[in-house]
Amino acid sequence: MILKLYPTALLLLQVSVSAFQSGVTPSRSRLLRPLHSTTQESVSSETSLRDEQRRKAKQSLLGLIGTASTSYIDPVLACPETGDALKVTVSSSPIIDSSRIEATKLKFVADNDSGVSYKGRSDSYYDLLVSSDDDDDGSNTPASSRDRIVNSLRAFLPPPLRAAFSEDYIPMRDLFTSPAVSFAYERGWRQQFAVAGFPGVDEEFELVREYFTPAVVGKGSTVVVDMSCATGLMTRRLARSNDYTRVLGCDYSPSMLTEARRRIKMDPALRKNIELVRCDVAQIPMKTKSVDALHAGAAMHCWPDVDSGLSEIYRVLKTGGRYFGSTFLSSYFSILQNTEGNVSVPQQAFNYFTSADEIKNMFIRAGFEEKNVDVEVLGKACIIVRCEK
């Protein structure tokens, strides 16, 4: 019996030694094969297995950290300084923020030789107001943060003292950069507009949606812009309607956009459907004739240069595109106006429009045909503007 088992035992010993030297542990079935063939097949099989495991691990890792940077030309956004198209580069791997929402860093470069670039994040906003280089996004430096805080505090100074602190401070623009105002905007600030005759945001949205419908139905890919979007109370409603392919909420104030994004993140259905852009309405970073519909609610009275803003709105609207906006007549601001006294226009908190005709003429000067401009007064001092390009 021992003699009969000897050849098999010898074969097992030889294979085990060979496998040990190659770093491969043979399976039981392989041990019964010829020594030379078994060793080669074992090594080849184990090597293939390790290669496959490495490939799968690499694919899994790439799925977590993202692939190489991708670039494309944005069909709507444009350089506010040159008007050229913006080349968008997804320049980093996906990020999971504190809300467990995937986000990416983006870089926007003017498609020319100027080298002008901007930065943003999909889970916050695109800053197309302050240009940046590779090392500085222009928005998070200690100096810029300090300036925003100081500007916010200036809004609460008596008007005659504001200019003494900064010639660049413009209350009708910079008042809304205050985090306190952003916090309060949907917590009572906006609701008080009912005193002037504003019907309320839900009813306003139905008016907006009804007016925009002819501009977007049957048009395929459509773009709607909520200019001076503040905390996004109308932006969110535009996105929920599913009437538009792309929804862009725009505002000058970083604190407003930050609050808008916070509110968007609270609704899982909206997290990937709204893009927020920091910009100046007097220099809209969008291509000519690229927007189907544009809304600006309770906004015109806050624009330092209304004529430039309306001209820009006319430029970016497509032929047949529609604008819906609301603002106040000066009677609503009479108390504020009397309080400010004889201050220069840049130091006023708001623009004071005296009549519907005054506002209509501003839209005509911007390029809209008179027959396509309708200005309606609601209540005591609420102005609703509808116009078509």
Side-chain angles (χ1 to χ4, degrees):
M1 181 67 178
I2 295 176
L3 292 176
K4 291 181 180 180
L5 293 176
Y6 177 76
T8 302
L10 180 60
L11 178 59
L12 287 171
L13 178 61
Q14 289 174 329
V15 172
S16 299
V17 171
S18 177
F20 176 79
Q21 291 173 341
S22 64
V24 179
T25 302
S27 65
R28 183 177 183 277
S29 61
R30 291 176 186 151
L31 296 179
L32 301 179
R33 299 174 185 173
L35 175 61
H36 181 70
S37 174
T38 301
T39 303
Q40 286 185 329
E41 290 179 6
S42 177
V43 172
S44 176
S45 177
E46 294 294 340
T47 300
S48 298
L49 179 61
R50 286 197 297 269
D51 289 343
E52 178 65 14
Q53 290 174 336
R54 290 193 189 99
R55 186 185 68 80
K56 290 182 177 180
K58 184 177 181 181
Q59 286 182 334
S60 178
L61 185 59
L62 287 175
L64 291 174
I65 66 174
T67 56
S69 297
T70 58
S71 299
Y72 60 92
I73 298 297
D74 194 286
V76 176
L77 299 178
C79 176
E81 298 182 29
T82 67
D84 292 295
L86 285 177
K87 182 178 181 181
V88 185
T89 301
V90 182
S91 57
S92 73
S93 306
I95 305 162
I96 304 297
D97 70 6
S98 58
S99 301
R100 308 302 300 169
I101 298 173
E102 185 176 294
T104 53
K105 290 183 179 180
L106 304 172
K107 184 175 181 179
F108 304 83
V109 181
D111 193 27
N112 55 30
D113 297 327
S114 68
V116 178
S117 65
Y118 305 86
K119 290 185 179 180
R121 279 179 55 146
S122 62
D123 66 333
S124 56
Y125 60 87
Y126 313 151
D127 194 338
L128 300 187
L129 183 67
V130 179
S131 59
S132 61
D133 55 34
D134 289 336
D135 298 321
D136 179 16
D137 67 3
S139 61
N140 295 320
T141 63
S144 63
S145 299
R146 183 177 61 250
D147 290 343
R148 287 199 298 272
I149 293 172
V150 172
N151 280 342
S152 299
L153 294 175
R154 288 193 189 107
F156 301 98
L157 292 174
L161 298 179
R162 294 171 187 163
F165 283 86
S166 174
E167 295 180 356
D168 297 329
Y169 179 73
I170 303 176
M172 67 178 69
R173 178 195 68 194
D174 296 325
L175 169 64
F176 293 93
T177 64
S178 167
V181 176
S182 302
F183 178 83
Y185 194 77
E186 290 190 48
R187 296 177 173 91
W189 183 296
R190 184 60 163 75
Q191 288 80 353
Q192 69 182 342
F193 294 175
V195 176
F198 275 69
V201 65
D202 289 323
E203 186 175 340
E204 290 170 45
F205 169 67
E206 292 303 323
L207 295 175
V208 172
R209 188 179 189 184
E210 179 184 6
Y211 186 66
F212 283 172
T213 296
V216 298
V217 170
K219 299 295 178 65
S221 180
T222 55
V223 178
V224 66
V225 172
D226 187 16
M227 185 60 64
S228 299
C229 68
T231 56
L233 74 173
M234 187 64 74
T235 319
R236 301 193 300 272
R237 288 166 173 80
L238 290 168
R240 288 195 198 102
S241 72
N242 293 317
D243 292 340
Y244 317 97
T245 308
R246 190 173 185 182
V247 179
L248 295 164
C250 303
D251 205 279
Y252 180 90
S253 167
S255 64
M256 283 290 191
L257 292 170
T258 299
E259 176 67 11
R261 180 59 68 186
R262 187 190 70 80
R263 290 177 176 273
I264 290 168
K265 288 179 178 180
M266 293 170 62
D267 187 341
L270 296 178
R271 288 175 179 175
K272 295 183 178 180
N273 296 339
I274 299 175
E275 297 169 86
L276 298 180
V277 181
R278 187 186 181 210
C279 67
D280 186 345
V281 66
Q283 203 171 22
I284 300 176
M286 297 177 193
K287 297 178 181 178
T288 299
K289 296 183 178 180
S290 62
V291 175
D292 296 276
L294 191 147
H295 170 263
M300 285 176 56
H301 52 279
C302 301
W303 298 345
D305 188 346
V306 178
D307 286 331
S308 293
L310 295 181
S311 294
E312 279 288 272
I313 288 171
Y314 181 83
R315 177 184 67 81
V316 302
L317 280 175
K318 297 177 181 178
T319 301
R322 293 192 168 195
Y323 169 89
F324 185 107
S326 57
T327 188
F328 298 94
L329 288 175
S330 59
S331 56
Y332 178 74
F333 297 114
S334 59
I335 297 177
L336 293 174
Q337 193 172 17
N338 293 334
T339 301
E340 291 181 353
N342 296 320
V343 298
S344 61
V345 172
Q347 291 304 314
Q348 291 177 184
F350 304 102
N351 290 304
Y352 302 116
F353 305 122
T354 58
S355 67
D357 287 339
E358 177 189 358
I359 293 174
K360 184 172 183 177
N361 288 332
M362 297 178 81
F363 280 87
I364 294 172
R365 288 199 304 270
F368 293 95
E369 294 185 27
E370 182 177 0
K371 65 179 182 179
N372 292 334
V373 180
D374 178 72
V375 180
E376 179 184 6
V377 180
L378 299 181
K380 296 179 180 179
C382 173
I383 290 286
I384 299 292
V385 182
R386 300 175 179 88
C387 52
E388 181 179 347
K389 182 174 177 179

